[in-house]
Amino acid sequence: MPMTDPRDWFPSEEEPNPMRAAQAGMKPTLPKRFYKEAGVEERDGLFHLTLDGRTAKTPSKQALAVPTRELAEAIAAEWQGQGDEIDPSTMPITRIVNSAIDGVAPRHTEVVEDLVRYAGSDLVYYRAGEPERLANAQDEAWSPVLDWARDAHGARFTLGEGVMHVAQPDEAVTAIRGAVEQIRSPFALAALHVMTTLSGSVLIALAHAARQLDLDQAWAAAHVDELYQESIWGEDYEAMERRRRREADFRAASTVYRLATPS
């Protein structure tokens, strides 16, 4: 089977949104595994995924190649870990890397603009007035993120109570734009976009990328309200399963971000 066949079940090159690409739908019937060994080959300063020694391609027929061996090995591990069928839902790192190469790299500015829009209405600005326990949980999780944005980037944001939109200072949004624009790697930018979309917060994603929050802290900060509701009403199985799948994508995006830049 040709290496380009994955274009039928991985994201299209027409999909610039890393989150939608990372969660792209699958065909009802999964394709059969057509290779025995997944490996990594260094060539021209990049690290290529190989399947039975043949260079793999993205859905748009570009080389599936990344700037670090560690990231390439993480991709190869996903391919090697497949069973008799190839299941994209178990390959989040590959999906994010595909979207970085095919969608983000040629549309860098578009992705930056989408991330900056989150800075205008970020999750962490909107606080509950009551009950007190929820308000305290939000403050404990979100105030350190805002403090970091202020100290690291000079960005001071306005808080609001409830869900009514609160206009943010242009200077603060511009400061976050500057932080996002510093991320030149399409792989890191795609990963940041996935983390932002899943968390609803570019500030949480940036704070995690800057190692101010670990993975568990970042994911918990993005779900303060949801976890509070579960503590009151109990856990909903379907909601928990959705969150589990989204958390797996968040963790994969964190891995891509961390491994995308040579140390």
Side-chain angles (χ1 to χ4, degrees):
M1 182 177 290
M3 293 297 106
T4 53
D5 278 2
R7 66 180 179 273
D8 290 332
W9 61 88
F10 278 111
S12 162
E13 67 269 25
E14 298 304 319
E15 178 53 88
N17 185 305
M19 187 61 246
R20 289 198 299 266
Q23 295 186 326
M26 297 170 292
K27 286 191 170 184
T29 302
L30 296 176
K32 299 295 185 182
R33 179 168 175 161
F34 55 90
Y35 58 92
K36 291 183 178 180
E37 297 294 331
V40 174
E41 176 183 314
E42 183 178 4
R43 189 166 67 250
D44 300 326
L46 294 174
F47 297 88
H48 296 249
L49 171 70
T50 61
L51 303 174
D52 291 341
R54 299 162 61 192
T55 302
K57 303 288 186 180
T58 68
S60 66
K61 302 182 183 181
Q62 300 188 72
L64 209 174
V66 294
T68 69
R69 179 175 293 277
E70 292 81 5
L71 181 54
E73 289 176 345
I75 298 168
E78 289 188 337
W79 286 83
Q80 190 62 33
Q82 297 300 297
D84 293 336
E85 297 177 325
I86 300 174
D87 183 355
S89 72
T90 65
M91 305 170 76
I93 292 175
T94 300
R95 288 184 276 123
I96 294 168
V97 167
N98 275 341
S99 73
I101 296 170
D102 290 348
V104 175
R107 300 174 177 86
H108 188 97
T109 300
E110 180 181 336
V111 177
V112 168
E113 290 300 326
D114 197 40
L115 286 166
V116 172
R117 278 192 286 273
Y118 277 86
S121 57
D122 203 274
L123 168 74
V124 302
Y125 308 151
Y126 298 94
R127 305 301 179 87
E130 55 182 20
E132 183 179 1
R133 185 158 67 90
L134 175 58
N136 289 340
Q138 291 175 340
D139 184 64
E140 182 178 352
W142 297 345
S143 289
V145 174
L146 290 166
D147 290 345
W148 168 79
R150 179 198 63 212
D151 296 341
H153 300 291
R156 299 174 182 272
F157 292 100
T158 303
L159 303 188
E161 187 172 307
V163 296
M164 293 296 293
H165 178 71
V166 178
Q168 297 299 325
D170 290 341
E171 296 84 355
V173 175
T174 298
I176 297 305
R177 176 187 294 279
V180 174
E181 287 177 340
Q182 289 177 15
I183 302 171
R184 302 308 305 167
S185 162
F187 304 99
L189 190 65
L192 184 73
H193 193 285
V194 171
M195 290 190 288
T196 297
T197 306
L198 287 169
S199 66
S201 171
V202 69
L203 297 185
I204 289 175
L206 283 169
H208 172 60
R211 301 181 184 273
Q212 297 301 304
L213 300 174
D214 65 26
L215 258 172
D216 292 337
Q217 290 171 327
W219 188 247
H223 294 84
V224 172
D225 292 11
E226 190 174 331
L227 294 172
Y228 172 79
Q229 293 298 328
E230 287 182 358
S231 74
I232 299 297
W233 303 106
E235 296 174 340
D236 177 84
Y237 175 78
E238 291 186 359
M240 288 183 63
E241 282 298 296
R242 286 194 299 271
R243 191 164 71 236
R244 180 187 62 79
R245 291 191 296 270
R246 290 164 62 84
E247 182 177 359
D249 280 344
F250 188 93
R251 290 179 177 275
S254 175
T255 296
V256 171
Y257 190 96
R258 177 170 51 86
L259 298 182
T261 305
S263 56

